[in-house]
Amino acid sequence: MKKAIIAVAGAGLLASACASDPYGGPNETVRQGAIGAGIGAVAGAIIGNNVGDGNAAAGAAIGAVVGGAVGAIRGSRQDRASQQRYYDNQRRAYYYCYDGRQTECYWEDGSRRY
């Protein structure tokens, strides 16, 4: 049973290491989501093995999903806090950019700004 826990935990950590940033810069949503998924998989495997029917794989899967979601939410908030906020006079709305060149920008509602 310990080998199963180690295998599931290792798979979760490997999956979190494969996360990449599609924008090429410091994207906390991706990074925190991957970290949350890895930690959630390890914690879920341990809890799943020790509680209930002892199914480490199911615990790891649930933990990875919950941990990834929580990590992505936390990272998204960090991204928003660290991004430069701009105001568009024509639309009268604020938008955020992922890079300094303003090529990857989004309105506050999440839609892409072209």
Side-chain angles (χ1 to χ4, degrees), residues 86-95 107-108 113:
Y86 302 97
Y87 186 75
D88 187 325
N89 288 326
Q90 197 170 24
R91 187 169 169 177
R92 295 185 180 181
Y94 287 98
Y95 62 94
W107 297 105
E108 285 186 312
R113 180 180 184 266

Side-chain angles (χ1 to χ4, degrees), residues 1 3 7 17 19 27 29-30 37 39-40 43 48 53 55 58 60-61 63 83-85 96 99 102 106 110:
M1 183 53 77
K3 288 181 183 180
N27 187 338
T29 304
V30 173
I39 291 171
D53 62 355
N55 191 345
Q83 290 171 352
Q84 178 66 40
R85 187 174 170 193
Y96 298 90
D99 59 359
Q102 295 188 11
Y106 295 87

Side-chain angles (χ1 to χ4, degrees), residues 2 8 12 18 22 43 45 49 52 56 74-75 84 97 100 105 110 112:
K2 289 183 182 180
V8 170
C18 293
N49 184 51
R74 181 172 181 245
Q84 178 66 40
C97 296
C105 299
R112 177 93 187 255

Side-chain angles (χ1 to χ4, degrees), residues 9-104:
L13 290 174
L14 287 174
S16 68
C18 293
S20 63
D21 178 8
Y23 304 109
N27 187 338
E28 287 297 311
T29 304
V30 173
R31 191 174 83 72
Q32 293 287 342
I35 290 170
I39 291 171
V42 172
I46 292 169
I47 292 168
N49 184 51
N50 295 327
V51 177
D53 62 355
N55 191 345
I62 294 168
V65 170
V66 172
V70 170
I73 291 168
R74 181 172 181 245
S76 177
R77 287 184 182 157
Q78 287 179 343
D79 276 342
R80 280 275 166 101
S82 66
Q83 290 171 352
Q84 178 66 40
R85 187 174 170 193
Y86 302 97
Y87 186 75
D88 187 325
N89 288 326
Q90 197 170 24
R91 187 169 169 177
R92 295 185 180 181
Y94 287 98
Y95 62 94
Y96 298 90
C97 296
Y98 280 102
D99 59 359
R101 299 181 313 260
Q102 295 188 11
T103 57
E104 192 71 39

